[in-house]
Amino acid sequence: MALGPRVVFTLFDEVAVKSAMWFGHARQIVGGNADEFYPPGGAFIVWQLVTANSRPVARSIAGFASLDLAISDARRVASLASQATISLVLDQPNGLRGWVATVDDDAITTCARWYVSDRDCRNAAELAVASLPAAPLAPTMHIVRASGRTVSRPMVPRTEVPSA
């Protein structure tokens, strides 16, 4: 079976684990208050669109309190992708570029990394948005523990995120 782009899920078992990096990136791209990106409770799940070689190219903006909510958001974004408008964002201090995809002024997904040129950023955004509708959901969820140790587990929808 040939691998292509796919949507993968990651559980952070407590907000402190990498949350500043994840939600700080979303806040830089989208703007707004950092608190609006955090789900209630300690642990959270996010999704990413990755390429065949597992390089992240797009990601959820918010974190979710359950796998069902994360899956629902990934499916919603995929269904809206063809209507999305891509806007480039400049990270002033570093001169790097990012992107956000919006539908009716609602941000639905962002870049997973920064780019050096407008051309590379726009190409990556267009490819990511075009890939989302065809990307299958990965059957496993990556779990990042507070200790820094990570594991992968089969996904079990309809479960709440374990409390921290």
Side-chain angles (χ1 to χ4, degrees):
M1 176 173 103
L3 278 182
R6 63 201 179 284
V7 174
V8 298
F9 297 88
T10 302
L11 163 69
F12 293 99
D13 72 353
E14 48 180 78
V15 169
V17 179
K18 294 194 177 182
S19 63
M21 180 177 66
W22 190 277
F23 299 118
H25 178 80
R27 191 177 66 238
Q28 276 184 288
I29 299 286
V30 178
N33 183 335
D35 292 340
E36 69 189 86
F37 302 111
Y38 288 91
F44 62 93
I45 297 173
V46 294
W47 62 263
Q48 295 183 88
L49 174 70
V50 299
T51 61
N53 66 355
S54 298
R55 183 177 197 149
V57 292
R59 58 164 68 174
S60 62
I61 294 171
F64 302 93
S66 72
L67 181 56
D68 279 346
L69 291 172
I71 289 171
S72 178
D73 186 66
R75 288 182 173 149
R76 177 186 71 87
V77 171
S79 73
L80 293 171
S82 65
Q83 304 166 42
T85 300
I86 297 167
S87 300
L88 300 189
V89 177
L90 180 63
D91 178 26
Q92 288 287 359
N94 299 313
L96 298 173
R97 284 102 173 125
W99 59 266
V100 60
T102 58
V103 174
D104 297 328
D105 295 324
D106 179 35
I108 61 169
T109 188
T110 70
C111 57
R113 66 184 191 91
W114 294 97
Y115 299 87
V116 174
S117 72
D118 284 348
R119 184 195 61 167
D120 289 344
C121 186
R122 181 156 303 281
N123 287 343
E126 290 171 356
L127 182 60
V129 170
S131 297
L132 272 164
L137 303 181
T140 60
M141 181 169 53
H142 190 69
I143 301 170
V144 178
R145 304 249 182 245
S147 65
R149 185 166 180 244
T150 62
V151 295
S152 291
R153 298 278 188 254
M155 290 194 323
V156 182
R158 301 198 184 283
T159 58
E160 292 299 311
V161 174
S163 59

